[in-house]
Amino acid sequence: MIDLRVRGGLIYSPEAPIRSDLLVRDGVIAALVGPDEEVTAAETIDADGLVVLPGLVDLHAHMRTPGYSHKEDFRTGSMAAAAGGYTTWVDMPNVDPPTTDADTLRDKRELALEESLIDFGHFASGSNPETIAELAKAGATGFKIFMIGGGYPHDDRIAASSDADLWQSFEAIAPTGLPCLVHPFNQALFDLFSEKELAAGRPRTFHTRAEIYTNRDVVWSSAVETAIHFHDELGVRLHLLHTHAVGSIARIRAAKARGLGVTAAIDPKYFHLTEEEMQRLGPRSYHGAWITGDERRLETIWNALADGTIDIIDSDHAPHTLDEIAHMNVDAWKAQGGSPQYDDLLMVLLDDVNRNRLPLATLARLLTENPAKLIGHYPNKGSLLPGTDADIVLIDMEKTTRLTDDRILSKAGWTPYQGRNVKGAPVRTISRGRTVARDGQIVDGPEMKRRARFLGGVAQFKDRSACRPVRDSAS
Ligand SMILES: [Zn+2]
């Protein structure tokens, strides 16, 4: 008996879009069949005119729990994600206590199993070489290293603040075969440039800081250079985050051309928010304005997305309260920066597709297949192949939405894209065969209790020759 038939949609598979019906049994994709195939199904969803993608897989969540649950928790964060088309999230270790050993990892997993609506994993801190082995054994999905410090959310307790720290972390992580995500950042240069600007009498506002943090290419690209070099020496499976500097993109492209196992992600706030939005909306939309004002840099980013230099679009879903980010205007060096993304991000990106900035097939790979491969859960996640989890998102490419705070399910309750009109929206999210969100609303019930599964670490890269770019690895 088939539980669910998704009828008449246009399915985006890695090769080419196909018009086919999806059959689901026991939370798993049972088969793809033609529209005329006679099958008895308990439920049929009409997907005529809709695009069918694998549920989105995000490798950059900040669920803020434990420690900062006034910003977000596993329930609200997973609701926002599900409504936004995601069926898998993996979060970062900068919580309180930070995820630095087996106990903190287990405690966090237990909380998330209780609260999350959808499947998930946890990246543990990779900055403490002495606990790497126990974290791998306890099931960490991978590791995250912050080369940046300076205070929460860039918690100094888990910062790798020197080359020696980074080297020792890579050395400890490489034998686990797990992915190592790095926020590349030259903290010493950033501190130097900051000191000079502030000594010259510039105000401590976001504008002064962003000219260094966002605009000084060398602050990012020199760290990317070091991380790639250490990867080449030690063989750790390196995945670089926040890839938006021209110099970083050039170095990653060159490393891939040499056959190194380096992948990269970008989070869209960096190439989406505009100066106009910054003027109109203030701190909530600060992050990207300088980049979208720089045509050469924007073009470099779009080209890197199109040619596979950037492998993954992640969310950096990073909620804070509006009061907290307002501090950006007072002292940006001590303020907490970041924005909730899950509710709106896919719509912003579908709007890009509708504006011909990138093809839907490319976007699908960046949001589903590539992230699932990096954590070793492809094709069970990130595909619609028979025998894999029935994680599905149905998309209406014609639907228009005005992005406003009142629609937001994230506990933070606001969107950095406030007031934008976008075309293209997820209309239904299915997690292992069960509808969890429809038209931006959560479909909840007692049967959803403790339904989420934890995606533990899969050792893929112990053999150095297996450290190849995601797009070239066997599927
Ligand atoms: Zn982040």
Side-chain angles (χ1 to χ4, degrees):
M1 174 70 172
I2 292 298
D3 301 321
L4 172 66
R5 179 176 194 153
V6 180
R7 184 188 280 281
L10 187 61
I11 296 177
Y12 270 71
S13 71
E15 291 75 31
I18 47 169
R19 202 163 286 285
S20 180
D21 291 7
L22 277 176
L23 304 182
V24 176
R25 183 172 45 219
D26 296 331
V28 169
I29 295 181
L32 277 69
V33 298
D36 301 328
E37 187 105 355
E38 297 257 355
V39 180
T40 315
E43 182 191 2
T44 298
I45 294 171
D46 181 11
D48 189 32
L50 302 180
V51 163
V52 182
L53 295 186
L56 274 50
V57 176
D58 183 48
L59 305 185
H60 198 152
H62 294 280
M63 292 304 200
R64 304 304 192 204
T65 299
Y68 306 96
S69 302
H70 66 286
K71 302 171 193 275
E72 193 75 287
D73 59 44
F74 295 125
R75 189 72 184 171
T76 52
S78 68
M79 285 164 59
Y86 291 85
T87 50
T88 302
W89 55 266
V90 186
D91 69 345
M92 295 301 187
N94 57 331
V95 287
D96 191 27
T99 317
T100 52
D101 58 21
D103 285 341
T104 48
L105 178 70
R106 281 193 207 102
D107 290 349
K108 191 159 93 161
R109 179 171 56 207
E110 197 42 48
L111 269 176
L113 282 169
E114 191 64 35
E115 294 185 356
S116 182
L117 271 179
I118 53 177
D119 296 349
F120 68 94
H122 294 309
F123 292 125
S125 171
S127 306
N128 309 62
E130 65 282 359
T131 57
I132 297 295
E134 75 170 65
L135 282 162
K137 204 166 158 232
T141 310
F143 294 95
K144 165 78 182 278
I145 295 176
F146 293 86
M147 291 173 75
I148 186 173
Y152 181 80
H154 302 125
D155 193 327
D156 285 317
R157 291 174 294 177
I158 52 170
S161 45
S162 70
D163 284 0
D165 285 351
L166 190 69
W167 178 271
Q168 291 186 84
S169 287
F170 279 14
E171 223 172 21
I173 293 169
T176 69
L178 296 173
C180 176
L181 287 71
V182 173
H183 178 140
F185 199 73
N186 192 321
Q187 185 71 42
L189 271 188
F190 175 80
D191 290 344
L192 173 74
F193 297 155
S194 299
E195 229 166 80
K196 285 193 168 173
E197 292 298 324
L198 295 172
R202 303 281 309 277
R204 296 183 65 90
T205 56
F206 182 76
H207 295 237
T208 311
R209 185 177 184 273
E211 281 172 24
I212 306 165
Y213 184 88
T214 313
N215 277 7
R216 294 296 288 265
D217 192 297
V218 69
V219 169
W220 297 87
S221 56
S222 60
V224 164
E225 173 98 26
T226 301
I228 290 174
H229 193 164
F230 288 6
H231 150 82
D232 198 12
E233 296 282 338
L234 297 168
V236 73
R237 182 57 177 78
L238 175 63
H239 179 61
L240 294 156
L241 305 176
H242 304 297
T243 307
H244 56 75
V246 171
S248 299
I249 291 170
R251 282 167 176 79
I252 292 163
R253 188 175 280 128
K256 288 185 169 198
R258 285 174 56 209
L260 297 185
V262 176
T263 47
I266 189 168
D267 39 309
K269 65 178 183 293
Y270 284 114
F271 62 100
H272 257 291
L273 294 164
T274 63
E275 184 138 23
E276 184 277 320
E277 283 170 317
M278 188 177 76
Q279 303 291 353
R280 181 165 51 87
L281 299 170
R284 67 163 72 195
S285 63
Y286 270 178
H287 269 89
W290 282 266
I291 295 178
T292 54
D294 178 347
E295 266 178 45
R296 174 173 165 252
R297 195 161 163 194
L298 259 189
E299 196 188 320
T300 305
I301 289 171
W302 284 114
N303 287 340
L305 286 166
D307 74 7
T309 302
I310 296 177
D311 305 86
I312 291 172
I313 294 178
D314 67 27
S315 72
D316 197 8
H317 175 75
H320 299 286
T321 68
L322 282 173
D323 281 349
E324 286 164 343
I325 59 160
H327 202 64
M328 285 281 181
N329 286 332
V330 182
D331 184 349
W333 274 261
K334 296 214 164 74
Q336 301 172 9
S339 47
Q341 295 284 337
Y342 274 147
D343 292 271
D344 289 347
L345 187 50
L346 177 56
M347 287 188 273
V348 168
L349 296 168
L350 292 171
D351 191 62
D352 286 333
V353 172
N354 273 320
R355 291 171 192 270
N356 295 318
R357 287 172 173 153
L358 82 170
L360 183 55
T362 304
L363 181 67
R365 193 163 59 243
L366 291 158
L367 293 171
T368 64
E369 181 187 336
N370 285 353
K373 281 181 175 172
L374 182 63
I375 56 170
H377 285 275
Y378 184 86
N380 198 41
K381 299 295 185 190
S383 90
L384 294 172
L385 295 171
T388 66
D389 282 354
D391 289 349
I392 303 163
V393 56
L394 304 184
I395 288 166
D396 181 347
M397 288 303 293
E398 301 300 319
K399 185 176 177 179
T400 56
T401 310
R402 186 171 170 79
L403 305 179
T404 49
D405 289 353
D406 56 301
R407 307 166 25 269
I408 299 298
L409 298 178
S410 163
K411 196 185 276 186
W414 55 275
T415 172
Y417 308 105
Q418 167 93 332
R420 267 196 202 200
N421 293 302
V422 290
K423 188 174 170 191
V427 292
R428 187 190 285 259
T429 307
I430 297 168
S431 163
R432 282 188 281 109
R434 195 186 186 292
T435 294
V436 288
R438 269 192 90 171
D439 297 319
Q441 300 294 319
I442 293 303
V443 180
D444 209 346
E447 69 281 13
M448 296 302 289
K449 202 90 187 118
R450 277 195 82 91
R451 193 174 168 278
R453 285 185 190 156
F454 176 71
L455 304 178
V458 177
Q460 299 184 91
F461 307 108
K462 286 192 174 185
D463 170 10
R464 284 200 56 167
S465 65
C467 285
R468 287 171 305 156
V470 164
R471 66 200 159 117
D472 294 338
S473 62
S475 52

